[in-house]
Amino acid sequence: MGRQGARLRAFLAASALLAAGAAGASCYSQGDGADPPLDRFYFPVGLRVSHGGSVLYVANADFDLQYNGGTLQSYDLTLIRRHVLEVIKDPTNPALPWVRPPYPSKESCLAGEAPALQPNGSRQPLGETCAPPVRSEFYQRDTAVIGAFATDMLLSEPPTVAAPAVPRPYDRLFIPVRGNATLTWGNVARDTVDAIPPDSRDVAAYAPWRIDCGQSATSRRCDARHQVGEDPDEVGNTRKLRMPGEPFGATLSEDGRTAVVTHQNDTKTSLFLTGIGPTDTDALTGTAEVVPSLQFVLDGVAVGGVGLAAIPHDPAAFVDQPVPYPAFLQTSRANAQIELLRQYPDEAVDLVTLADGGTRLPSGQPTTPSTLRRPFLTREILFPITTSPSGVDSRDLAIDPTPRLACKARARTPDEVLACARKPSRLFVANRSPAALLVGEVGGTNATTGAYDPDLVTIFRSEPLAAGPSRVFLAPIVDSDGAYALRVFVVCFDAAQVFVFDPEAGRLESVIRTGPGPFAMAFDPFDMAAVARHDKVEDDKRIAGLTRYRFGYVASFTQSYVQVLDLDRRQPSTFERVVFTLGEPTNPKGT
Amino acid sequence: MSRYVKGRKRLALGFLAVLAAVAMAVVLFACTQTPTPVPVRTFERAQKVDFVCLRMTKDLPDGTRQVIRPEGRPVNECTPTPADEDGASFTNQLFALVTQTTRGEVAVVNLTSGIIIDVSAKTPSANFLPVGANPTDIASAPDGQMTFVASAEPNKAAIYALPSERILGDKAAVRSYDAAGNAIDVPLPPDPLGLPTLASWPVCALEQAPAALSIVPRAITPGSGDPGYEVVAVLPGDRLTRAKVVTIDPKPFLRGAGLLPADAGAVVAPGSLAPCVVTSAVELAGEDLVPPAFQKGPTWPNGVPYADAGALDLTCEVPAHSARCGLPPCCATTTDGGAVDAGACARPEGDAGTIPLDVGPLEAPRVVAIARDEQTIYVADEAVPFVHVLDVSTPGAIRERAPLLATSLTDPSRPVGVRALAVSPPTRDYEKFLYAVDARTGSLMVFDVSAPSDVVRTPLTRPFPELNPFQSPDRVAFNSPVVAVEFARADVPVTRAPEDVTGLTGALCNPNPNADPNDPGILYRANSAAPSAAFGAFGPRRLRGVFAFVTLANGTVAVVDVDDWDAPCRRPARLTGAGPTFVPPQGETEPAYSSIARGQTATGTDPYSAPIAAADSTSDEAYFPVSLPHRLRSAVFLRASTTTGKQIPYVSTAPVVERRGVQLATAGNGSEATPILEPTIERPAEAATGPGVRFSFEVPDVHIDQDWSITYEGALPGFEGYSGALATEDGFESLVVRQPGARFCAKGVEDWDLGRERAAAVVSALQSAGRRPPAEAIDRRMADYVQITSDLLGPDDDYWKIGSSTEAGSCWKDIEAAPGRARYDLCNATFGAPGDESPGRDFPILEAYDDKLVLGRFFNFQTTPNATREVVYKHPTNARSLALAQCCFHGQAKFTVRGGGQWVTVGSSYGFLSHLVPGAGGRCEPSCDPREALLNARAPGVPRAATGDAPAISRDSVLALRNPVFSFFVENGIAVVPDDNGGSRVVDAPPLRDTQWRFTTRGQFQSLSVAIGGQSTSVSPQSMRFIPPLGQVAVVDAASQGLVIVDLRTVSIARSPFF
């Protein structure tokens, strides 16, 4: 057979390997292959902005398995924001690290009349006319390697209860990773609004740039301790559990103590302790760090679990009765419903909440615990989706507490405070059949009992969207008076559009066309209470001429880059438009 | 290469191809999802529609027609296109203008010829008219000259004016025919101004983004150039600007478009974005005017509009109330003291008193929709519970009148927002109704707006709400939220002679045998020969009267009766059980009126004074009234027919009785021990036959096809997934199961006190009925109980190793089991596995609260679970049992609740019906709301009568179960046991736990409706509008269907959707 036979054998072997790999390990990397690129995006799926606004954290998925893992990266957001401002002022600024040299005139962009064609007659890529791509490597600061197929990224909230005795100096990132079925986590030094990052590219120059997931200096790969869910014997996993496959959606509980993770091809939902909470001391046992651990796997939820959101409970809404245990809403691709899950502490009595957010047993109870205090989840009730003929294929969801926060800010009497605390939160669900933003409420009066039910879900409206809605984000714009005004950003993956919905007016505000396959979004840091009150946006002391909140960031999954959106209504020519392109748009290999 | 090698190579390559295909398929299956097919549509997020009639040709003196530039005409000058004619040749053609919100455009659809207009011949694909981004509403002028489009573009809120003469672009044509009959499309003369662009339209700026538009007609001053209308714009209000309604002078638009001379006043030039010329404005009332309390609205008509309404007596179609509610029974005909569940008549109808309206702090008004009734404007407010009422009769001076107050009787503290609304045309009784969509529930409120009022009005309420407690008393609810509502008045006029072209309209169908022979209502009877093909057959699909068309979010357009002129003939032929079967027409021999039920008079000729209708004049349905105002219209005759089958509720197959999968005998040997399911008697009394149930025929829409189970000591549904925390507050004299989310009252959990009350009523009723007393002490048995369903933790779990046996407060204290395996063994011996259903897992409920249950223990529980056992109240002897329960299940356990000593009825759709509510201190107690009187699901086991002549049991007896759907009672079996004299005797044999009757009900209510998407689920309806000249309703869908036209004559989609 000669060469042909050799080719045939090689092809046969490759096909057999492909088949064996496909059948045995599904589509996941077994650790072979080249190391992933450390300084650029590769199928970004998670974006988070540090609480101080100086760092953009990015989770990359390695979706086509070109490499032996995905990455977790940090970018100098202060520098990015400064350059965004410069691009808006002058899109031809030669000092910027362009991938492609800009050609439009500064005047045409400022006038909003930029040409759609390049000088060579070819069509200018969408969004790049006045924002040609810049090299993302210039802004990248640190990278760690994680498993393939990350799906999202969570960032812990800063402590809400001050306990200065043992301050927690860091925040924590959590990434559900499908490739190895783990919840991968890492610590990052806490970034504050007052901190000023240096003009340096050295990751050591500014602590929040550095990601700590136990990675080695050479491989940059996160260690096993930072990938929980795989090992039934890991610390804190007293039930000896292993996380099911295909983790997908994730959310943190309201107090941050637990993380809940969906599994998209299974009827299970996993519960983790995060090792941190609303107090600075939650993360430490003595001087030892408390690490995340898998606690419980709930079975029986609808298959195709995707979106998760924690229901906000206001303690002021519960007079002479305990605040409900943490509750979560979960969506499903398969069923036209939203499920209510609740987390219990596995204790026979209601714990007393202390002033610092900690808990203790009530008086009269034995001091020796009679249980192992292992939290667990239950599946309480289903809320059907009736606002469309199908209602299936629900994706992300978001719960907006600002009606309650705004009302409480205006309340004067205890009765008013109670009424405001019981005001329903708004609920937004991305649904694909048909493409729609489902609008509803969480909380209200139970029609049967007449009692206040903080977890009652009502979906009453369906706003049409373009194809493929995937993610829902709550974030403000800067309104015409310089104040925060909340918006709902719905990312439509298939249509490459971001729909901006005004929840207070109850109507669509605009549609932003983005690069192909938008998925993750992040925003400059903001405080939801300040948004609810419509506080004025403060100036950013680090960058002259910029407010502390102004930009949104949307990652193109398909072309592996990040676009920056201007969210300042006072800038009519750039409002809700792409103003900066971070990284070179790159099509997936083979396309 | 040999053929063999070639063949092997082909084989290998084939194998490889298959292998590769399999591999790729596996990879694809594992790693990707099937992409959602996205239909190709020219419409993108269509939202609102209005209509313009255009004159396309003019007749020349020589008798020929000339195609002209389009000229706007009033809509009523356009006519429907008959099926056999080509609408493209009509002189006047009707166009729909549909907003496209994604692209900021208006699509033009020719409804007369049935095509979408492409306004530009040069640009590929269908092109529409550009307007500002995010168009929110559209309104055409009554003269057809201009269409106004509201745009909510950020930073550029505006109203665009589209002159009708320019909306067709350069591609439209009118069809003509040559002498040979060949069709020729004659293009319109070119637009001298060229193709319209965004800058072509007169446009004016508003201070905030408009939400809705309307047109209010005005008197025309001759010679003034007045177009005879003003534009009304709803400015919704936002954080920085108050909600307003403004009127806008249209003349500047007309001048800007060249339709009026430009030198006579202000001009809105094309593309200028000059400020709109506001002629009047009013800021809408807000929170300050919300009253602290409201009165329940009056009931809406009950469908029987005359005082002598026949023999129907609905007043006693409710059960008697519970004694705990403090009022005597309302019906004297019940055979005993009434069911313990019932709350009816506790509060006389219409005497709700003043209801506090404590809605808490509200936001500023946020108005979103508008409806006009002559010179009155109604504006929906989502933030303040008002429908604002504006008097616009005086140009330049809008005046806000007392609003309609949007309230909810089921949740008075909820601030009710209104999202959409519509006003009906007047009914035969000159009533007008406003339907307002409750923004949160998606249901409809009904307001009476027949006359202007300066008094705050609240929603009308449903007559006899207890007969369908699943409907809110002040709402019309659907299975999907209402998106839009529209009214239409329709008729099929009677023409008595060929030369009579106008015909009579508004005649009520009259089935009265005494009716005047000249009454046109006779022609609408069921047996009337239709005067013409267009007359339509008598039946649900013939719409005569005023109807509401309600578009639901799921793409269904449902028909609601408002004033059905055929209603008098939609009824049973006989409304009484006695009397003649036929009443001769007037002039013939008079019937024996003495045998006719009350209500009818010898001289009555009106449609409702006919307890016995003229032969074959009615639909002979099972209900009366069939057609009730503000109720969904049935799609079928509600009757059992040999031709159409059973279209009334029925049990599909014979009920079966079984226990844990083993069918029990209902005849022959052993059947005497089987409990029998029996229907209650009809009133007046008739023999009961079983097994079966008696259906209720009061309201048709309460019936839903479902499976029913009636289980002795069955589990109450709704506790799956819940875990309760187990604790004690009294040293284990009792055990508390705490579960704040369980809502025990709402799920119908009865405790020992309620059980004893029920047991006492049962014993009393049995005595009155001459039946045997219960075989056991049901007053110590008839309490619900908790059954723990958790598994024990595994024997090796670390849990068994912790916890002190000596520490005060510990559940292990004084339990002789050392930490470790011994504890597991003790627990396993006590409770076993859940599937074993050990009686040790059962704990009677001493007190039921909404968030917790206080448990005791059963005496003699070691015997079989169905044996007689009695509740032990809080007592020191309970300590060991209850402490073990807490310890063995590590302080939290999954559980279910079973009804103690009684039958538990569960429907697969309705679930377990109960009307318990949290009372004082959260303790569960029956609601005294009469509306909930029929929410029942429990029935006692009734010992068989010692003799065969015991009175039958009525549906209102405490021995029976009556819910809104049916009623029944269950007789216990009997057993023969030895007596003390060496002989035998017959004793009552209570059923065993989990003995179950099962059956399926069919014949559910089917509403008259149309699915705008057909089989497609890609539907997202946005709005609807009635097209009077066509007798059709247009529905706009934002997903894939675009513009859908529903024909009222057939109640079906008129033609393929436009998209």
Side-chain angles (χ1 to χ4, degrees), chain A residues 12 26-27 344 367-368 370 378 386 441 443 445 453 460-461 464 479 481 504 508 534, chain B residues 16 30-31 45 134 239 366 411 419 439-440 480 553-554 721 739 743 746 799 807:
Chain A
L12 189 64
S26 191
C27 48
Y344 287 91
T367 54
T368 308
S370 61
T378 62
T386 62
E441 288 179 349
T445 302
D453 181 352
F460 45 76
R461 196 174 148 198
D479 212 344
D481 61 347
E504 293 183 1
L508 181 77
H534 298 291
Chain B
L16 287 173
C31 305
R45 297 182 73 247
N134 202 8
R239 188 171 57 80
R366 188 173 67 249
D411 185 7
R419 176 136 199 90
R440 187 168 190 271
S480 182
N554 63 10
Q739 174 39 277
R743 299 183 187 89
Y799 168 74
E807 187 179 2

Short mmCIF file of all heavy atoms in Angstrom, two decimals, chain A residues 12 26-27 344 367-368 370 378 386 441 443 445 453 460-461 464 479 481 504 508 534, chain B residues 16 30-31 45 134 239 366 411 419 439-440 480 553-554 721 739 743 746 799 807:
data_model
loop_
_atom_site.label_atom_id
_atom_site.label_comp_id
_atom_site.label_asym_id
_atom_site.label_seq_id
_atom_site.Cartn_x
_atom_site.Cartn_y
_atom_site.Cartn_z
N LEU A 12 -6.82 6.17 10.04
CA LEU A 12 -7.59 5.23 10.84
C LEU A 12 -7.30 5.42 12.33
O LEU A 12 -8.21 5.48 13.16
CB LEU A 12 -7.21 3.80 10.41
CG LEU A 12 -8.06 2.67 10.96
CD1 LEU A 12 -9.47 2.79 10.47
CD2 LEU A 12 -7.49 1.32 10.54
N SER A 26 -15.90 12.38 26.24
CA SER A 26 -16.72 13.42 25.66
C SER A 26 -15.81 14.41 24.97
O SER A 26 -14.85 14.03 24.32
CB SER A 26 -17.58 14.06 26.75
OG SER A 26 -18.54 14.87 26.17
N CYS A 27 -16.02 15.70 25.14
CA CYS A 27 -15.27 16.66 24.36
C CYS A 27 -14.21 17.35 25.19
O CYS A 27 -13.73 18.39 24.82
CB CYS A 27 -16.23 17.69 23.80
SG CYS A 27 -17.35 18.33 25.02
N TYR A 344 -30.74 25.18 53.59
CA TYR A 344 -30.95 25.04 55.04
C TYR A 344 -29.63 24.74 55.72
O TYR A 344 -28.73 24.13 55.13
CB TYR A 344 -31.94 23.91 55.33
CG TYR A 344 -33.35 24.29 54.98
CD1 TYR A 344 -33.86 24.01 53.71
CD2 TYR A 344 -34.16 24.94 55.89
CE1 TYR A 344 -35.15 24.38 53.39
CE2 TYR A 344 -35.46 25.30 55.56
CZ TYR A 344 -35.94 25.02 54.30
OH TYR A 344 -37.21 25.39 53.98
N THR A 367 -25.12 22.76 74.12
CA THR A 367 -23.94 23.37 73.49
C THR A 367 -23.25 22.40 72.56
O THR A 367 -22.53 22.79 71.65
CB THR A 367 -22.95 23.83 74.56
OG1 THR A 367 -22.66 22.71 75.42
CG2 THR A 367 -23.51 24.96 75.39
N THR A 368 -23.46 21.13 72.79
CA THR A 368 -22.88 20.14 71.89
C THR A 368 -23.81 19.96 70.71
O THR A 368 -24.96 19.56 70.87
CB THR A 368 -22.74 18.79 72.61
OG1 THR A 368 -22.04 19.00 73.83
CG2 THR A 368 -21.98 17.82 71.74
N SER A 370 -25.88 18.50 67.83
CA SER A 370 -26.34 17.15 67.57
C SER A 370 -26.29 16.82 66.09
O SER A 370 -26.73 15.79 65.66
CB SER A 370 -27.77 16.96 68.08
OG SER A 370 -28.62 17.86 67.42
N THR A 378 -33.05 22.31 49.28
CA THR A 378 -34.30 21.62 48.96
C THR A 378 -34.93 22.32 47.76
O THR A 378 -34.64 23.48 47.47
CB THR A 378 -35.30 21.63 50.12
OG1 THR A 378 -35.64 22.98 50.42
CG2 THR A 378 -34.74 20.96 51.35
N THR A 386 -45.98 31.15 31.87
CA THR A 386 -47.18 31.11 31.03
C THR A 386 -47.24 32.29 30.07
O THR A 386 -48.26 32.51 29.43
CB THR A 386 -48.46 31.13 31.89
OG1 THR A 386 -48.49 32.36 32.62
CG2 THR A 386 -48.50 29.97 32.84
N GLU A 441 -41.98 39.56 38.99
CA GLU A 441 -41.66 40.06 40.32
C GLU A 441 -41.35 38.89 41.24
O GLU A 441 -41.82 37.77 41.03
CB GLU A 441 -42.83 40.83 40.90
CG GLU A 441 -43.07 42.17 40.25
CD GLU A 441 -44.26 42.91 40.84
OE1 GLU A 441 -45.04 42.30 41.61
OE2 GLU A 441 -44.42 44.09 40.53
N GLY A 443 -41.64 38.12 45.31
CA GLY A 443 -42.19 38.64 46.56
C GLY A 443 -43.57 39.19 46.36
O GLY A 443 -43.89 39.71 45.28
N THR A 445 -47.91 39.05 48.10
CA THR A 445 -48.86 38.45 49.01
C THR A 445 -49.36 37.15 48.43
O THR A 445 -49.80 37.10 47.28
CB THR A 445 -50.05 39.40 49.23
OG1 THR A 445 -49.54 40.63 49.74
CG2 THR A 445 -51.03 38.81 50.24
N ASP A 453 -45.17 36.73 51.22
CA ASP A 453 -44.33 35.63 50.77
C ASP A 453 -43.15 36.23 50.01
O ASP A 453 -43.31 36.70 48.89
CB ASP A 453 -45.14 34.69 49.87
CG ASP A 453 -44.31 33.51 49.38
OD1 ASP A 453 -43.09 33.50 49.60
OD2 ASP A 453 -44.89 32.59 48.77
N PHE A 460 -45.27 38.12 34.40
CA PHE A 460 -46.49 38.66 33.82
C PHE A 460 -46.29 39.30 32.46
O PHE A 460 -47.23 39.81 31.88
CB PHE A 460 -47.14 39.67 34.77
CG PHE A 460 -46.19 40.65 35.39
CD1 PHE A 460 -45.69 41.70 34.68
CD2 PHE A 460 -45.81 40.50 36.72
CE1 PHE A 460 -44.83 42.60 35.26
CE2 PHE A 460 -44.94 41.38 37.31
CZ PHE A 460 -44.45 42.44 36.58
N ARG A 461 -45.09 39.28 31.96
CA ARG A 461 -44.88 40.03 30.74
C ARG A 461 -43.73 39.44 29.95
O ARG A 461 -42.83 38.82 30.53
CB ARG A 461 -44.55 41.47 31.14
CG ARG A 461 -44.67 42.46 30.04
CD ARG A 461 -44.47 43.85 30.60
NE ARG A 461 -43.85 44.68 29.63
CZ ARG A 461 -43.24 45.82 29.89
NH1 ARG A 461 -43.16 46.23 31.14
NH2 ARG A 461 -42.72 46.52 28.94
N PRO A 464 -40.25 41.12 23.58
CA PRO A 464 -39.57 40.41 22.50
C PRO A 464 -38.12 40.86 22.35
O PRO A 464 -37.80 42.04 22.53
CB PRO A 464 -40.39 40.77 21.27
CG PRO A 464 -41.10 42.02 21.64
CD PRO A 464 -41.34 41.98 23.11
N ASP A 479 -27.30 58.94 33.87
CA ASP A 479 -28.44 59.61 33.24
C ASP A 479 -28.08 61.06 32.87
O ASP A 479 -26.99 61.54 33.18
CB ASP A 479 -29.65 59.57 34.17
CG ASP A 479 -30.96 59.49 33.40
OD1 ASP A 479 -30.94 59.78 32.19
OD2 ASP A 479 -31.98 59.16 34.00
N ASP A 481 -28.80 63.75 34.08
CA ASP A 481 -28.45 64.65 35.19
C ASP A 481 -27.22 64.13 35.95
O ASP A 481 -26.92 64.60 37.04
CB ASP A 481 -29.63 64.80 36.15
CG ASP A 481 -30.04 63.48 36.77
OD1 ASP A 481 -29.60 62.42 36.27
OD2 ASP A 481 -30.80 63.49 37.75
N GLU A 504 -37.56 50.90 35.03
CA GLU A 504 -38.49 51.83 35.68
C GLU A 504 -39.56 52.29 34.70
O GLU A 504 -40.72 52.41 35.07
CB GLU A 504 -37.72 53.01 36.25
CG GLU A 504 -36.82 52.60 37.41
CD GLU A 504 -36.10 53.76 38.06
OE1 GLU A 504 -36.31 54.91 37.64
OE2 GLU A 504 -35.31 53.51 38.98
N LEU A 508 -38.18 49.12 26.33
CA LEU A 508 -36.87 49.02 25.71
C LEU A 508 -36.30 50.41 25.48
O LEU A 508 -37.01 51.31 25.04
CB LEU A 508 -37.00 48.28 24.38
CG LEU A 508 -35.71 48.07 23.62
CD1 LEU A 508 -34.92 46.93 24.24
CD2 LEU A 508 -36.01 47.78 22.16
N HIS A 534 -30.63 56.88 42.95
CA HIS A 534 -30.25 57.79 41.87
C HIS A 534 -29.23 58.81 42.35
O HIS A 534 -29.31 60.00 42.04
CB HIS A 534 -31.48 58.50 41.29
CG HIS A 534 -32.47 57.56 40.68
ND1 HIS A 534 -32.23 56.86 39.54
CD2 HIS A 534 -33.71 57.19 41.09
CE1 HIS A 534 -33.27 56.10 39.25
NE2 HIS A 534 -34.18 56.27 40.19
N LEU B 16 -14.02 4.28 7.58
CA LEU B 16 -13.47 5.49 8.20
C LEU B 16 -14.47 6.64 8.19
O LEU B 16 -14.61 7.39 9.15
CB LEU B 16 -12.20 5.91 7.45
CG LEU B 16 -10.99 5.01 7.70
CD1 LEU B 16 -9.85 5.42 6.78
CD2 LEU B 16 -10.58 5.09 9.16
N ALA B 30 -22.09 15.89 22.16
CA ALA B 30 -21.63 16.19 23.50
C ALA B 30 -21.35 17.66 23.70
O ALA B 30 -21.52 18.19 24.78
CB ALA B 30 -20.38 15.37 23.81
N CYS B 31 -20.87 18.33 22.67
CA CYS B 31 -20.31 19.65 22.89
C CYS B 31 -21.13 20.79 22.32
O CYS B 31 -20.85 21.93 22.57
CB CYS B 31 -18.93 19.71 22.26
SG CYS B 31 -17.86 18.41 22.86
N ARG B 45 -39.62 42.76 15.38
CA ARG B 45 -40.22 43.24 16.62
C ARG B 45 -41.33 44.25 16.31
O ARG B 45 -41.33 45.37 16.78
CB ARG B 45 -39.18 43.83 17.55
CG ARG B 45 -38.14 42.82 18.01
CD ARG B 45 -37.14 43.40 18.97
NE ARG B 45 -37.72 43.64 20.25
CZ ARG B 45 -37.93 44.84 20.79
NH1 ARG B 45 -37.60 45.91 20.13
NH2 ARG B 45 -38.46 44.96 21.97
N ASN B 134 -37.00 53.17 18.07
CA ASN B 134 -37.90 52.71 19.12
C ASN B 134 -39.29 53.34 19.04
O ASN B 134 -39.74 53.99 19.98
CB ASN B 134 -37.27 53.00 20.49
CG ASN B 134 -37.84 52.12 21.56
OD1 ASN B 134 -38.60 51.20 21.28
ND2 ASN B 134 -37.51 52.41 22.80
N ARG B 239 -38.04 59.75 36.07
CA ARG B 239 -37.46 60.24 37.32
C ARG B 239 -37.35 61.76 37.33
O ARG B 239 -37.46 62.40 38.38
CB ARG B 239 -36.07 59.62 37.47
CG ARG B 239 -35.40 59.86 38.77
CD ARG B 239 -34.17 59.02 38.84
NE ARG B 239 -33.25 59.27 37.75
CZ ARG B 239 -32.40 60.28 37.70
NH1 ARG B 239 -32.36 61.14 38.71
NH2 ARG B 239 -31.58 60.44 36.68
N ARG B 366 -46.79 56.58 36.27
CA ARG B 366 -46.07 56.12 35.07
C ARG B 366 -47.12 55.58 34.12
O ARG B 366 -47.62 54.47 34.28
CB ARG B 366 -45.04 55.06 35.44
CG ARG B 366 -44.15 54.69 34.28
CD ARG B 366 -43.03 53.76 34.68
NE ARG B 366 -43.48 52.44 35.08
CZ ARG B 366 -43.44 51.95 36.31
NH1 ARG B 366 -42.99 52.70 37.30
NH2 ARG B 366 -43.87 50.75 36.60
N ASP B 411 -56.16 40.89 47.36
CA ASP B 411 -54.96 41.45 47.98
C ASP B 411 -55.09 42.96 48.01
O ASP B 411 -54.48 43.67 47.21
CB ASP B 411 -53.71 41.02 47.18
CG ASP B 411 -52.44 41.49 47.86
OD1 ASP B 411 -52.50 42.02 48.98
OD2 ASP B 411 -51.36 41.30 47.25
N ARG B 419 -51.82 48.06 32.67
CA ARG B 419 -50.88 48.03 31.55
C ARG B 419 -51.55 48.32 30.21
O ARG B 419 -50.93 48.88 29.32
CB ARG B 419 -50.22 46.66 31.51
CG ARG B 419 -49.31 46.45 30.39
CD ARG B 419 -48.02 45.77 30.78
NE ARG B 419 -47.02 45.98 29.75
CZ ARG B 419 -46.18 46.99 29.72
NH1 ARG B 419 -46.19 47.88 30.69
NH2 ARG B 419 -45.32 47.14 28.74
N ALA B 439 -51.45 44.81 35.58
CA ALA B 439 -50.10 44.60 35.07
C ALA B 439 -49.41 43.42 35.73
O ALA B 439 -48.54 42.79 35.13
CB ALA B 439 -49.27 45.86 35.28
N ARG B 440 -49.75 43.09 36.95
CA ARG B 440 -49.02 42.03 37.65
C ARG B 440 -49.63 40.66 37.40
O ARG B 440 -48.91 39.69 37.21
CB ARG B 440 -49.00 42.32 39.14
CG ARG B 440 -48.12 41.36 39.92
CD ARG B 440 -47.91 41.85 41.33
NE ARG B 440 -46.89 41.10 42.01
CZ ARG B 440 -47.11 39.99 42.70
NH1 ARG B 440 -48.33 39.51 42.78
NH2 ARG B 440 -46.13 39.36 43.32
N SER B 480 -52.94 32.63 30.68
CA SER B 480 -51.72 33.34 30.30
C SER B 480 -52.03 34.83 30.45
O SER B 480 -53.19 35.24 30.29
CB SER B 480 -51.34 32.99 28.86
OG SER B 480 -50.15 33.62 28.48
N ALA B 553 -50.58 36.38 26.23
CA ALA B 553 -49.15 36.33 25.94
C ALA B 553 -48.75 35.05 25.23
O ALA B 553 -47.73 35.01 24.55
CB ALA B 553 -48.36 36.48 27.24
N ASN B 554 -49.55 34.01 25.37
CA ASN B 554 -49.20 32.74 24.71
C ASN B 554 -49.69 32.68 23.27
O ASN B 554 -49.63 31.63 22.64
CB ASN B 554 -49.74 31.55 25.51
CG ASN B 554 -51.25 31.53 25.57
OD1 ASN B 554 -51.93 32.29 24.88
ND2 ASN B 554 -51.79 30.66 26.40
N GLY B 721 -40.19 17.58 48.92
CA GLY B 721 -39.01 18.43 48.89
C GLY B 721 -38.77 19.22 50.15
O GLY B 721 -37.70 19.76 50.37
N GLN B 739 -41.17 24.64 59.57
CA GLN B 739 -40.81 24.79 58.16
C GLN B 739 -41.52 26.04 57.65
O GLN B 739 -42.68 25.99 57.22
CB GLN B 739 -41.23 23.55 57.37
CG GLN B 739 -41.04 23.61 55.85
CD GLN B 739 -39.78 24.29 55.39
OE1 GLN B 739 -39.73 25.53 55.28
NE2 GLN B 739 -38.76 23.51 55.12
N ARG B 743 -46.05 26.53 54.53
CA ARG B 743 -47.39 27.12 54.50
C ARG B 743 -48.45 26.05 54.75
O ARG B 743 -49.26 25.73 53.88
CB ARG B 743 -47.62 27.85 53.18
CG ARG B 743 -46.64 28.97 52.99
CD ARG B 743 -46.85 29.76 51.74
NE ARG B 743 -45.74 30.70 51.57
CZ ARG B 743 -44.62 30.42 50.92
NH1 ARG B 743 -44.47 29.25 50.33
NH2 ARG B 743 -43.65 31.29 50.85
N ALA B 746 -52.24 27.03 54.14
CA ALA B 746 -52.65 27.10 52.74
C ALA B 746 -52.77 25.71 52.14
O ALA B 746 -53.57 25.50 51.22
CB ALA B 746 -51.64 27.93 51.95
N TYR B 799 -22.39 11.15 62.08
CA TYR B 799 -23.42 11.73 62.94
C TYR B 799 -23.67 10.89 64.19
O TYR B 799 -23.88 11.43 65.28
CB TYR B 799 -24.72 11.87 62.15
CG TYR B 799 -25.91 12.19 63.04
CD1 TYR B 799 -26.06 13.46 63.59
CD2 TYR B 799 -26.86 11.22 63.35
CE1 TYR B 799 -27.12 13.75 64.43
CE2 TYR B 799 -27.94 11.50 64.17
CZ TYR B 799 -28.06 12.77 64.70
OH TYR B 799 -29.11 13.05 65.53
N GLU B 807 -26.15 15.46 78.54
CA GLU B 807 -26.32 16.90 78.58
C GLU B 807 -27.80 17.29 78.51
O GLU B 807 -28.56 16.77 77.70
CB GLU B 807 -25.58 17.55 77.41
CG GLU B 807 -25.57 19.07 77.48
CD GLU B 807 -24.79 19.67 76.32
OE1 GLU B 807 -24.32 18.90 75.47
OE2 GLU B 807 -24.68 20.90 76.28
#
